[in-house]
Amino acid sequence: MNTASAEGPGLLHRSGRWCARHAWRIVTLWVLLLAGLGAADHAWGGTFADSFSLPGTGAQTGADLIEAHTTGAGGTAAPLVLHTAGGTVAAHREAVAAAVAGLDRLPDVLSVADPLNTPGAVSPRGDTARLTVRFDGNPAGFDPSYLARVDAAVEPLRAEGVTVEYGEPLGQLAAAGSADRVSEGIGLAVAVLVLLIGFGSVAAAGLPLLTAVLGLAVALGALGLLAGPFDFARASPTLAAMMGLGVGVDYALFLATRYRALLHAGAEPDEAVGRTVATSGRAVLVAAATVAMALGGLCASGVGFIGTLGIAAGLSVVVAAAASVTLTPALLGLLGRRVDRLHVRTPVAEPTGASDVWHRWALGVARRPWVSLTAGLLLLGILALPAASMRLGHVDAGAQSTARTDRRAYDLITEGFGPGANGPLTVVAQLDSGRISDPAGREDLAASLRRELTAVPGVASVTAPVTSPDRALLLTTVTPATGPRDPATARLVHTLRDETVPHALAGTGATGYVTGTAAAAQTFTDTLAATLPRIVGVVVAAAFLLLLTVFRSPLIALKAAVLNLFSIAAAYGVVVAVFQWGWGGALFGVSEPVPVESYVPMMMFAIVFGLSMDYEVFLLSRIREVWLDRRDNHLAVATGIAATARVITCAALIMTSVFLAFLLSTNVAVKMLALGLGVSVVLDATVVRLLLVPASMYLFGRANWWLPERLDRLLPRLDPEGPAPASTTGPAPAPAREPGPEPDPVHTPVPLPGDRR
């Protein structure tokens, strides 16, 4: 007897049926929400800019000391690089002065350093100079129209034939417009094609797209509004679009497929919608909770930049799930039985016969589970091999296209001043009270510090230390012999920070810090590398507990976590091979090998782990339904694979196309995420879901569903449609059926030859 049915429809069943019967109310609410958030974002929304501040670190402390004790050292500095093909920059002194005056009059500018009056700002040959402008905010987040005012200010230089290029971060504002809209369009176009081919119905294809697009628009409006009071990274909208569009289509497709199957089985439309939300809707909510939880785990990094990226992506997932269990049922209610009326081929739903290709696939895996398991693990292991050599770092302007002004500025600095000039290091010595009032002591310390720094291998030059206006600091600039992305520069930062500076200042009462862009980037990388194990532990543990609570099986929860780690390692390996080793990187717009952006592995882990759980939950939900009904593990696995293979395959194709379309982005870190996520989805929907999951579940047999009674009593009940099933602590009679999710009237379980476990 179906306990849930005897007690009446559950909460999800009732909510789905209500949405179907009051469809126009739901649609109107979503449209009003979209309009309201859009208007609020336009009026009070903020901008997106990268902020890598790490309070409490030496690099951040050094930067804060410089700002506090040096006039005009606050804000964000951006170099404007001046270059003459013949002659010297000094020959254009009047034009330089006019440009400096024009820049100084711009709003948001704190100070402008005339390169002709700044030591070290002109190259030895005199043909290149760095004009440093300090802004009161990050210029990368300014309105694009601001760039026209900068262009007007430097026009006197360009009128005399002087080349002017904008270095980071001002150059980011000048970069070509984002390709996000093009990427989203490509993803949607592929989604339409896949849905039409896979399911045949125009309405069934359009409904998931409509739900996903509306949900994404709402999420982006909310994100823009949040960007007003909070700092969000520049990649936040792109990441939110990737996640929101991908999971939005997946979730709505999963519901629409179940609804059509129920209609074909003879259910009334309203009742079919209720049953759909009660079964597939429950799986969607569990899947979304897992993804959001994995992304929320990024906040455990303690790094605000990473936490905001996780919040942005998690917000889009939560909104997509909300749209799927409210807007999708409403649209299904409006369509009713007309869901298949417009079609390009005979509409298909979930297979129910033994002749289906996915049933035959399940039979093949059941006959040779060890072969399937070994082959799948071997493939993932081979793909994961490059990950062992992963090198983290910051992908700077030197890896961008030469069509960008910040890349050209980078190259001019390299040619004029050397590669290390793109990432100079500033050594800050905070003096004690005795040194502050002792000029001779300060001079001795400055000379000693410069000697120690000059003697370090990998140092190209060291400027004479200068005293801050209040005599509290000694400041010197160290130029590395190598570029910011070179591993030797990272080793130099560690040597200066951990050995040279402490040794040079030992016994003087002064405290030393190494700061500057390159030092901050390396500190950021070191912090994330140290934090990643904690993130992995938090996310895996939380996902294990959620799956254990939902599916009431320690083995299933553990297996899901372990297999997801394999697929993540394989995705890491592909990213390392393409970007760090340079295997085909030029195909994706990266002209030379680059390190893996420091935050990409952490973001990939959270996203891939969450998305892998999506398909795991979809598949296991169907397997569990048959298990609760028939208590036959082989039959449950085969039927679950057959019922979900088509929808998971189509969903994976759509999500992969969405992710890979973002390879068009001009941001190299976004390219890494796009490739890594696209590869992981393909591996997850094929190798993991079609080989490793069924093979392992066949081998484990009834142990898949074992749960100690004491643990069963401790776990909360998350089944919203009826009492949770009792624990399976031993063999049970085959006809027995436990209460749980509502049974699926569509399934006609097909007997599977072999041992019944």
Side-chain angles (χ1 to χ4, degrees):
M1 177 180 178
N2 182 355
T3 306
S5 298
E7 295 178 357
L11 175 62
L12 289 179
H13 189 133
R14 295 196 305 272
S15 67
R17 195 167 54 192
W18 188 91
C19 289
R21 291 174 177 174
H22 303 84
W24 285 114
R25 294 186 187 181
I26 300 298
V27 172
T28 301
L29 284 174
W30 275 97
V31 171
L32 290 176
L33 182 61
L34 174 61
L37 284 173
D41 179 24
H42 181 75
W44 302 296
T47 57
F48 299 90
D50 293 339
S51 175
F52 297 99
S53 62
L54 293 168
T57 62
Q60 187 65 48
T61 302
D64 293 342
L65 285 172
I66 293 174
E67 182 174 355
H69 294 275
T70 305
T71 304
T76 301
L80 276 65
V81 183
L82 318 181
H83 178 73
T84 58
T88 65
V89 174
H92 305 275
R93 185 175 298 274
E94 292 184 2
V96 171
V100 169
L103 291 167
D104 197 39
R105 288 192 295 268
L106 293 180
D108 301 308
V109 170
L110 297 177
S111 65
V112 182
D114 187 334
L116 301 181
N117 297 321
T118 303
V122 179
S123 67
R125 293 195 305 267
D127 59 348
T128 305
R130 290 176 294 186
L131 190 162
T132 302
V133 182
R134 288 192 173 275
F135 299 90
D136 62 4
N138 191 330
F142 289 177
D143 189 278
S145 62
Y146 188 86
L147 199 65
R149 307 180 73 169
V150 178
D151 290 338
V154 300
E155 180 57 31
L157 285 166
R158 288 175 171 155
E160 295 190 9
V162 178
T163 299
V164 182
E165 302 292 355
Y166 306 144
E168 288 185 322
L170 180 63
Q172 295 174 354
L173 183 65
S178 172
D180 289 2
R181 295 294 176 263
V182 176
S183 300
E184 292 165 8
I186 292 174
L188 289 173
V190 174
V192 171
L193 184 62
V194 169
L195 291 173
L196 287 177
I197 294 175
F199 297 96
S201 167
V202 174
L207 187 145
L209 298 177
L210 179 60
T211 302
V213 170
L214 185 56
L216 175 60
V218 169
L220 291 177
L223 182 60
L225 191 59
L226 288 174
F230 304 104
D231 293 329
F232 280 87
R234 294 175 67 239
S236 296
T238 301
L239 189 58
M242 290 170 63
M243 294 297 297
L245 193 57
V247 302
V249 172
D250 274 13
Y251 294 164
L253 174 61
F254 197 55
L255 269 68
T257 302
R258 176 64 71 91
Y259 171 76
R260 293 170 67 238
L262 291 167
L263 279 187
H264 294 175
E268 291 298 317
D270 287 358
E271 183 64 19
V273 173
R275 296 294 302 271
T276 295
V277 178
T279 51
S280 295
R282 175 178 182 265
V284 163
L285 291 177
V286 173
T290 308
V291 179
M293 181 181 59
L295 292 167
L298 293 173
C299 294
S301 68
V303 180
F305 175 86
I306 295 296
T308 58
L309 285 176
I311 291 171
L315 174 65
S316 67
V317 172
V318 170
V319 174
S324 296
V325 296
T326 56
L327 183 59
T328 299
L331 296 176
L332 290 173
L334 290 176
L335 288 173
R337 296 189 182 279
R338 298 187 299 275
V339 69
D340 286 333
R341 179 162 295 179
L342 297 175
H343 55 269
V344 296
R345 55 179 289 241
T346 303
V348 293
E350 296 175 351
T352 57
S355 61
D356 181 78
V357 63
W358 299 113
H359 272 288
R360 295 197 298 272
W361 176 271
L363 281 169
V365 175
R367 293 189 188 100
R368 298 178 180 84
W370 280 113
V371 173
S372 300
L373 186 65
T374 303
L377 291 177
L378 185 61
L379 175 59
L380 294 182
I382 292 173
L383 291 175
L385 286 176
S389 64
M390 181 185 293
R391 180 171 65 86
L392 301 181
H394 174 57
V395 181
D396 55 23
Q400 303 294 349
S401 166
T402 54
R404 291 180 48 155
T405 183
D406 49 355
R407 168 60 188 271
R408 296 194 296 271
Y410 186 99
D411 291 343
L412 288 174
I413 290 175
T414 299
E415 295 168 6
F417 299 90
N422 281 295
L425 307 172
T426 301
V427 175
V428 181
Q430 186 177 22
L431 306 178
D432 63 358
S433 56
R435 295 277 178 179
I436 291 176
S437 58
D438 180 10
R442 288 200 306 272
E443 291 179 6
D444 290 343
L445 179 59
S448 172
L449 179 61
R450 188 179 189 185
R451 283 195 303 271
E452 294 261 8
L453 293 173
T454 304
V456 177
V459 171
S461 64
V462 180
T463 63
V466 297
T467 307
S468 62
D470 60 0
R471 296 176 296 180
L473 306 177
L474 277 179
L475 305 171
T476 183
T477 299
V478 177
T479 302
T482 51
R485 286 181 284 118
D486 195 299
T489 303
R491 292 193 294 270
L492 176 62
V493 171
H494 289 146
T495 299
L496 295 179
R497 184 183 64 195
D498 302 332
E499 301 175 18
T500 307
V501 173
H503 180 267
L505 300 179
T508 67
T511 305
Y513 306 95
V514 180
T515 187
T517 304
Q522 188 57 47
T523 302
F524 187 77
T525 297
D526 294 342
T527 301
L528 294 187
T531 305
L532 183 58
R534 181 168 75 241
I535 298 297
V536 171
V538 169
V539 172
V540 171
F544 173 82
L545 291 175
L546 179 61
L547 292 182
L548 174 62
T549 303
V550 172
F551 294 107
R552 323 298 291 183
S553 167
L555 191 58
I556 283 179
L558 179 62
K559 171 187 60 64
V562 171
L563 292 183
N564 286 346
L565 293 178
F566 273 102
S567 63
I568 291 169
Y572 281 172
V574 173
V575 169
V576 169
V578 171
F579 293 96
Q580 184 178 313
W581 292 2
W583 291 6
L587 298 175
F588 306 119
V590 182
S591 59
E592 58 186 276
V594 295
V596 177
E597 181 67 50
S598 54
Y599 64 84
V600 164
M602 188 176 291
M603 293 300 303
M604 275 186 60
F605 172 78
I607 296 172
V608 171
F609 195 89
L611 293 180
S612 297
M613 287 299 182
D614 261 10
Y615 297 141
E616 186 84 14
V617 168
F618 292 164
L619 174 58
L620 291 177
S621 295
R622 302 308 299 271
I623 292 175
R624 183 171 180 262
E625 289 177 23
V626 181
W627 163 256
L628 292 175
D629 190 39
R630 298 293 294 270
R631 289 308 194 92
D632 186 324
N633 182 69
H634 272 55
L635 182 63
V637 173
T639 307
I641 289 176
T644 60
R646 182 189 301 274
V647 67
I648 286 180
T649 300
C650 289
L653 285 173
I654 293 168
M655 189 172 287
T656 300
S657 68
V658 169
F659 287 151
L660 295 184
F662 280 87
L663 286 168
L664 297 175
S665 173
T666 58
N667 187 317
V668 177
V670 172
K671 291 178 185 287
M672 291 180 182
L673 284 170
L675 181 63
L677 297 179
V679 168
S680 71
V681 170
V682 171
L683 294 176
D684 205 72
T686 54
V687 178
V688 176
R689 298 300 154 242
L690 297 180
L691 279 178
L692 299 182
V693 170
S696 59
M697 293 192 73
Y698 284 137
L699 290 171
F700 291 141
R702 291 181 64 86
N704 287 308
W705 313 104
W706 172 79
L707 179 68
E709 291 184 2
R710 178 173 297 180
L711 179 59
D712 184 44
R713 290 193 296 269
L714 291 175
L715 292 174
R717 307 291 182 180
L718 296 185
D719 187 346
E721 298 308 302
S727 62
T728 306
T729 56
R737 185 182 189 281
E738 297 174 316
E742 299 190 31
D744 183 2
V746 176
H747 278 308
T748 305
V750 180
L752 186 67
D755 177 32
R756 295 290 192 266
R757 294 189 239 180

